[in-house]
Amino acid sequence: MSQINFYPTESSQLNEVDFNNIPFGKVFSDHMFSAVYEDGEWKDFQICPFKELTMHPSMMALHYGQSIFEGMKATVAPDGTPLLFRPEKHIERLNKSAERMCMPVFPEEVFHQAVHKLVGIDRNWIPSREGSALYLRPFMYATDKYIGVTASSTYRFLIITLPVGPYYSKPVNLKVERKYVRAVKGGVGEAKTSGNYAASLLPAKLAKAEGYDQVMWMDAHEFKYIQEVGTMNLFFVFKDKIVTPATEGAILKGITRLSIIELLKSEGHKVEERPLAIDEVKEAYKQGELVEAFGSGTAAVVANISQIKDVDIDMKFNESNWKLSSRIKSFINGVRIRKEKDRFGWIVPVKEQVSH
Ligand SMILES: Cc1ncc(COP(=O)(O)O)c(C=O)c1O
């Protein structure tokens, strides 16, 4: 067991928060986990009061983009036990992102210890309303003070946490992106790295100006195959099957996506992970074979899609057909608060209940 030092806050902000009305992404809990990579090893593990960071103007992450992150959730059982959703998958993906971005992997055992301890300490920050959660943001960035394109030799790893209410409660309408691309096979699309999100901002802004919530990314070679949207993977429910684009190097391997595939297969649905051409979706829509479409991701869990607009078609999806997606959403949200049985072993109860 690695030593994680704990420095409690002297002024908790908990009483300042209105848990019935939490703005997403703006409210931070009392503590954060911090670690430093130096001389080839991770050290200085600590949980300390949430605070601002100082940085050198040449800090490499700012210039050359070695910066990766994760997004995961902690919820609370009726008996008050904090619950984590598939934390082992998140550290696995973080370390895959690290490898791709030429960054050091973070020790899994320390990650789990840190998450349990941090969530245990700030357990009163976990909102209890169904669909709400404590959002955990682990992230790592390069800290060498150096101007020059090379991999940094020092890094910082932090976990900050934020109470969040239900996200994307509204259905989303999508525009098929025909000019810009998000990711190309062989690139960094499968890594959860900051630049991927920066690259998405201009197309998203242009789509918003036209009245769309998000763009639907297409493959970068032919603009033929569907990839994903913003921070979600995609599922298309046909009358006889459910299809989700195969990740194949350019799409983020979503953990919600993985969980939904497991759930659907266990229920006997025919689930296909394969390249999905937009033309196939259009044809099925015209034939009345396409029932619903939805996005999946940690933040939203499931977001219904009300419309997909392409140059030659405007596909509208009727709310009365959003049956499968609603059931999946309520199952995953239910598992997260022990309202549903955790049939797949997704939930990890927090072991450490630190009082301070
Ligand atoms: C680009 C992208 N795709 C898909 C997802 C969904 O992944 P997950 O279900 O692990 O949250 C996310 C969110 O992490 C994302 O940022």
Side-chain angles (χ1 to χ4, degrees):
M1 290 276 265
S2 305
Q3 175 71 30
I4 300 177
N5 292 320
F6 175 36
Y7 306 100
T9 182
E10 282 171 9
S11 56
S12 171
Q13 302 296 307
L14 189 60
N15 289 336
E16 310 289 311
V17 183
D18 172 5
F19 276 86
N20 290 317
N21 187 16
I22 318 168
F24 192 95
K26 292 188 177 168
V27 179
F28 302 92
S29 75
D30 283 333
H31 297 93
M32 63 186 194
F33 170 79
S34 166
V36 166
Y37 185 83
E38 255 173 26
D39 305 322
E41 60 171 344
W42 285 103
K43 53 183 146 188
D44 196 12
F45 304 128
Q46 55 172 278
I47 289 174
C48 58
F50 183 88
K51 59 177 181 246
E52 297 206 352
L53 306 166
T54 56
M55 67 184 79
H56 192 271
S58 73
M59 188 181 79
M60 288 188 78
L62 295 177
H63 300 267
Y64 307 112
Q66 276 184 302
S67 168
I68 57 172
F69 66 98
E70 268 304 314
M72 54 190 276
K73 277 180 173 172
T75 43
V76 64
D79 69 358
T81 308
L83 308 171
L84 304 167
F85 191 80
R86 313 196 83 173
E88 70 292 348
K89 294 286 173 203
H90 286 279
I91 181 63
E92 198 181 292
R93 187 170 67 187
L94 182 94
N95 280 339
K96 286 222 169 83
S97 300
E99 278 166 10
R100 178 63 185 88
M101 303 309 289
C102 205
M103 298 165 85
V105 296
F106 193 79
E108 289 193 10
E109 174 238 319
V110 184
F111 175 84
H112 290 299
Q113 248 180 280
V115 166
H116 280 254
K117 192 160 176 162
L118 183 62
V119 174
I121 289 167
D122 279 346
R123 63 187 176 278
N124 293 336
W125 283 85
I126 311 174
S128 54
R129 234 173 90 200
E130 188 167 338
S132 303
L134 188 68
Y135 184 80
L136 276 63
R137 167 54 56 89
F139 60 109
M140 187 197 296
Y141 58 95
T143 53
D144 273 9
K145 303 164 193 168
Y146 179 66
I147 293 294
V149 180
T150 179
S152 180
S153 64
T154 61
Y155 295 86
R156 186 95 186 257
F157 176 77
L158 297 159
I159 307 175
I160 56 174
T161 75
L162 304 83
V164 295
Y167 191 68
Y168 277 149
S169 32
K170 277 198 322 166
V172 291
N173 59 349
L174 307 177
K175 180 191 146 189
V176 176
E177 181 55 59
R178 290 279 167 198
K179 178 176 180 189
Y180 298 100
V181 296
R182 175 185 177 274
V184 56
K185 268 187 207 174
V188 294
E190 233 180 39
K192 212 163 157 55
T193 185
S194 315
N196 283 338
Y197 299 84
S200 73
L201 298 177
L202 175 65
K205 182 175 153 188
L206 297 174
K208 274 213 175 85
E210 290 177 46
Y212 300 99
D213 296 309
Q214 307 247 0
V215 300
M216 189 165 96
W217 299 112
M218 304 300 290
D219 79 273
H221 302 276
E222 298 174 87
F223 283 87
K224 185 172 167 191
Y225 297 100
I226 295 168
Q227 288 190 333
E228 58 185 317
V229 300
T231 57
M232 292 191 292
N233 296 111
L234 288 169
F235 284 83
F236 293 84
V237 182
F238 296 73
K239 277 195 174 149
D240 58 343
K241 59 184 176 280
I242 300 151
V243 186
T244 182
T247 52
E248 288 184 339
I251 300 177
L252 194 82
K253 289 183 187 295
I255 292 159
T256 318
R257 172 186 183 276
L258 179 74
S259 310
I260 292 174
I261 294 171
E262 280 175 38
L263 170 66
L264 293 175
K265 283 190 173 164
S266 81
E267 291 177 342
H269 288 283
K270 189 171 167 209
V271 184
E272 297 176 4
E273 287 179 74
R274 59 170 169 83
L276 177 60
I278 182 83
D279 286 349
E280 180 180 340
V281 169
K282 288 179 190 172
E283 198 47 40
Y285 177 82
K286 287 183 201 154
Q287 302 299 327
E289 294 291 317
L290 189 60
V291 185
E292 57 173 323
F294 61 88
S296 74
T298 295
V301 183
V302 164
N304 292 105
I305 294 168
S306 53
Q307 180 190 10
I308 301 175
K309 173 80 171 75
D310 198 0
V311 278
D312 57 347
I313 197 166
D314 190 357
M315 296 184 271
K316 300 259 171 66
F317 299 91
N318 193 326
E319 191 171 348
S320 61
N321 289 334
W322 298 347
K323 295 198 180 92
L324 190 74
S325 53
S326 307
R327 198 166 53 71
I328 293 169
K329 183 169 187 160
S330 102
F331 179 77
I332 295 181
N333 278 333
V335 167
R336 283 193 161 127
I337 53 169
R338 288 217 167 119
K339 200 166 113 187
E340 295 280 351
K341 193 161 173 272
D342 180 22
R343 292 191 265 138
F344 304 97
W346 292 336
I347 296 298
V348 179
V350 165
K351 282 182 264 161
E352 213 156 332
Q353 302 271 320
V354 186
S355 52
H356 59 283

